[in-house]
Amino acid sequence: MAIAVSDLQLKLPGLKMIIGEDRLDAQNGATIAVEDPSDGAHLANVPAAGTAEVDCAVAKARATFESRAWSRMRPIDRSKLLDRIAQRIESELEALTLLETYDNGMPLAHARAYIMFGADTFRYMAGWCTRLTGKTYPGAIDGVSYHTYTQSVPVGVVGAIVPWNGPFVMAAWKIATALAAGCTIVLKPSELTPLTALRLGEIVLEAGVPAGACNIVTGYGHTAGQSLVDHPGVDKIAFTGSARVGKMILQSAAKDLKRVTLELGGKSPNIVFADADMDRVAPAAAMSIYASAGQACIAGSRLYVERKAFDKVVDAVASVARTLKVGNGRLPDTDIGPVISRAHRERIMGYIDRGISEGGKVVTGGSAHLGKGYYVDPTVFVDATPEATITREEIFGPVVVAIPFTDIEEVIRQANDTTYGLAAYVWTSDVGRAHQVANRMQAGSVWINSGYALDPAVPFGGFKQSGLGRELSEEGIRAYMETRAVYTYIGS
Ligand code: NAP
Ligand code: MG
């Protein structure tokens, strides 16, 4: 039995924006209706912020940053607060999981794993608070001795914008990193999935982080998001979303040279050699595209299979696709939830139609469920050309394009023949070949004989048009900091 919306009432967050110590509606009363993609039911209304509300949130973040209450707090105390946030997330794991599933549609097990990854990110970043040290540089300049050292200092006020496909975990990455660095933050969740970010904002404050250090502003991308990007009081933009919006953000941020990190889309190759462990390949290749109903930036959406194993692997992936249960994410036996919205379902179906009209052949799937909820069957395409739209563009739906290859040079060239460069997967029992391929992938993450697994200690991000900079890891936190060099005259 699915859990009814009434069961959720108690768990719903305040549904007002968190700006400093205040819980606010939009000044003009404008709201955004939030729906459950599993059946289209109305869940809640959240405020639709405009420039005035963004101004207010940035002013609070700036004042808190300048007051130094946060950025000058003893690092070990800041670390304790981040750790406490992780504990609170874990203690609310089931409520947050349910809320995420209502809002985004993803199956409960998937939501739970994402929420836990958010908690892990806070715990990992807590460890950095006391380790953001600089270096010393002994030496002389023109015969004069100097004692020179560097400091790692917070960049200031961060404007963070996150998408709907991993609403909680994406918000957690940005907030945990900004706070660990000593920055203050204004976060705008996607208009489609604002609920768990609002709850996370409350958890952060309940854990003892000073009001104003973490502000959550709900609103549309082209209004609230754009105001945040344009705001002169914001020092850095941390964005996760589409390449199209990422490019617009980079242009807007150029006006005052804001620091920018971008985590964008992908069209990631999954490369299978005939000597791979076939029992593991098919389920992993299937989940690499179908988990999240294909709405994962690192989805393995192009399946390259060595020609002599092509039919076998395609059949095996198609059989897994047929057994996956598509349905309401709150039902325990659901493997694949709905896609995020009616509009997105239509977009995915448009790609499937285009794939067929451009000569592709559907092996399995290819249809949407009509009626309530936004479901698309797991789909496998063959016979799409390298130039076909479905081979080149990020569909962000449960659609994989299978393509045969003959030799290693051919597959490396094809795998890299994309504007994106987020992830790649290689399957082979030949260790040397696995590394040869990995070393030549133009991709920020490569998995060998594995579906995706992420670790907050490891840098994550994209080559080429999949992004700019890295998140998580030391590299991720350094992107929220400036380096200051201090020269001290000693004497000649
Ligand atoms: P999107 O349209 O780019 O939106 C992402 C966020 O940007 C949303 O909060 C959106 O707000 C906001 N936004 C839209 N227009 C804006 C503007 N002019 N100025 C400022 N903000 C604006 O992407 P999406 O469709 O939500 O998400 C899917 C994309 O994200 C895919 O391409 C996927 O690959 C990528 N993604 C990448 C990663 C990664 O780490 N590399 C992770 C997850 C997703 P509204 O929702 O309110 O419009
Ligand atoms: Mg929703």
Side-chain angles (χ1 to χ4, degrees):
M1 256 273 296
I3 298 156
V5 177
S6 55
D7 298 333
L8 189 69
Q9 297 303 341
L10 270 177
K11 311 288 185 205
L12 278 178
L15 304 183
K16 291 184 189 285
M17 294 183 286
I18 304 173
I19 299 181
E21 48 293 305
D22 300 319
R23 305 293 179 271
L24 297 175
D25 291 315
Q27 288 173 19
N28 64 2
T31 59
I32 299 172
V34 181
E35 70 172 4
D36 173 355
S38 73
D39 57 8
H42 177 253
L43 283 178
N45 288 329
V46 297
T51 305
E53 292 78 12
V54 170
D55 282 351
C56 189
V58 172
K60 291 282 182 187
R62 172 62 51 196
T64 306
F65 185 72
E66 302 293 344
S67 79
R68 302 180 166 203
W70 178 243
S71 54
R72 293 283 295 270
M73 179 183 279
R74 270 196 337 149
I76 200 123
D77 292 332
R78 206 158 67 220
S79 175
K80 281 182 201 160
L81 289 180
L82 288 177
D83 205 55
R84 201 177 297 156
I85 296 169
Q87 285 170 31
R88 286 188 168 246
I89 293 170
E90 285 163 354
S91 70
E92 277 189 34
L93 179 61
E94 289 312 310
L96 285 166
T97 297
L98 188 58
L99 194 56
E100 191 78 323
T101 292
Y102 265 103
D103 202 2
N104 165 279
M106 65 177 82
L108 290 169
H110 191 148
R112 194 174 291 117
Y114 267 0
I115 308 281
M116 279 306 294
F117 195 59
D120 286 349
T121 305
F122 275 96
R123 192 158 279 125
Y124 169 78
M125 286 297 168
W128 273 110
C129 299
T130 52
R131 289 168 176 78
L132 297 168
T133 52
K135 294 180 178 170
T136 58
Y137 298 81
I141 303 166
D142 291 339
V144 177
S145 296
Y146 283 87
H147 166 61
T148 307
Y149 60 90
T150 55
Q151 297 169 307
S152 236
V153 296
V155 68
V157 174
V158 174
I161 299 174
V162 292
W164 46 261
N165 62 327
F168 183 88
V169 72
M170 294 289 110
W173 285 16
K174 306 281 193 270
I175 294 172
T177 314
L179 294 182
C183 295
T184 59
I185 184 168
V186 177
L187 177 119
K188 190 204 85 68
S190 168
E191 79 202 39
L192 297 168
T193 55
L195 301 182
T196 49
L198 286 170
R199 181 62 202 131
L200 178 57
E202 295 293 351
I203 290 174
V204 167
L205 299 185
E206 286 164 14
V209 170
C214 178
N215 308 275
I216 312 289
V217 171
T218 50
Y220 294 105
H222 60 279
T223 50
Q226 191 66 50
S227 300
L228 195 54
V229 171
D230 288 338
H231 202 295
V234 171
D235 300 295
K236 172 195 163 84
I237 294 290
F239 173 77
T240 299
S242 63
R244 183 185 66 80
V245 175
K247 289 175 193 177
M248 284 162 48
I249 286 179
L250 197 54
Q251 277 185 333
S252 306
K255 274 198 303 287
D256 38 15
L257 272 184
K258 286 187 179 73
R259 277 65 183 129
V260 177
T261 41
L262 303 173
E263 299 293 349
L264 309 176
K267 187 76 181 175
S268 299
N270 200 349
I271 301 172
V272 181
F273 287 91
D275 66 350
D277 175 353
M278 290 301 171
D279 291 342
R280 294 184 57 233
V281 165
M287 289 321 284
S288 140
I289 180 68
Y290 301 134
S292 306
Q295 306 165 116
C297 52
I298 50 183
S301 50
R302 291 180 294 147
L303 178 63
Y304 291 101
V305 185
E306 194 170 354
R307 197 173 289 278
K308 58 189 171 200
F310 186 73
D311 290 344
K312 189 174 150 200
V313 171
V314 169
D315 282 352
V317 172
S319 320
V320 176
R322 286 186 204 103
T323 60
L324 292 171
K325 182 139 183 1
V326 178
N328 185 321
R330 298 189 295 279
L331 296 171
D333 57 345
T334 294
D335 298 304
I336 312 290
V339 300
I340 193 66
S341 63
R342 182 183 300 273
H344 193 50
R345 182 182 69 189
E346 301 319 317
R347 189 168 166 269
I348 295 166
M349 292 313 294
Y351 272 115
I352 291 175
D353 292 345
R354 186 97 180 251
I356 295 167
S357 70
E358 291 180 358
K361 186 167 147 258
V362 173
V363 177
T364 188
S367 46
H369 301 201
L370 296 174
K372 285 183 176 177
Y374 313 123
Y375 299 96
V376 179
D377 282 327
T379 301
V380 177
F381 262 99
V382 291
D383 295 345
T385 64
E387 297 74 36
T389 310
I390 57 168
T391 314
R392 305 209 71 82
E393 293 187 16
E394 183 185 46
I395 299 172
F396 226 55
V399 182
V400 68
V401 180
I403 301 161
F405 68 88
T406 313
D407 64 55
I408 188 168
E409 290 303 322
E410 179 193 10
V411 75
I412 289 171
R413 187 178 42 73
Q414 289 194 68
N416 287 331
D417 179 21
T418 166
T419 55
Y420 292 111
L422 193 60
Y425 306 82
V426 190
W427 295 86
T428 173
S429 53
D430 178 335
V431 175
R433 178 158 66 184
H435 288 287
Q436 197 186 339
V437 175
N439 291 346
R440 292 173 64 190
M441 286 297 101
Q442 294 162 4
S445 303
V446 182
W447 283 273
I448 295 174
N449 294 333
S450 169
Y452 56 76
L454 290 171
D455 181 335
V458 179
F460 178 77
F463 283 30
K464 302 194 282 187
Q465 294 188 30
S466 285
L468 211 55
R470 292 293 178 272
E471 288 199 286
L472 305 175
S473 75
E474 176 170 6
E475 226 177 300
I477 192 164
R478 297 286 177 191
Y480 285 71
M481 312 205 74
E482 294 280 9
T483 302
R484 179 191 295 127
V486 180
Y487 294 77
T488 310
Y489 173 87
I490 294 181
S492 39

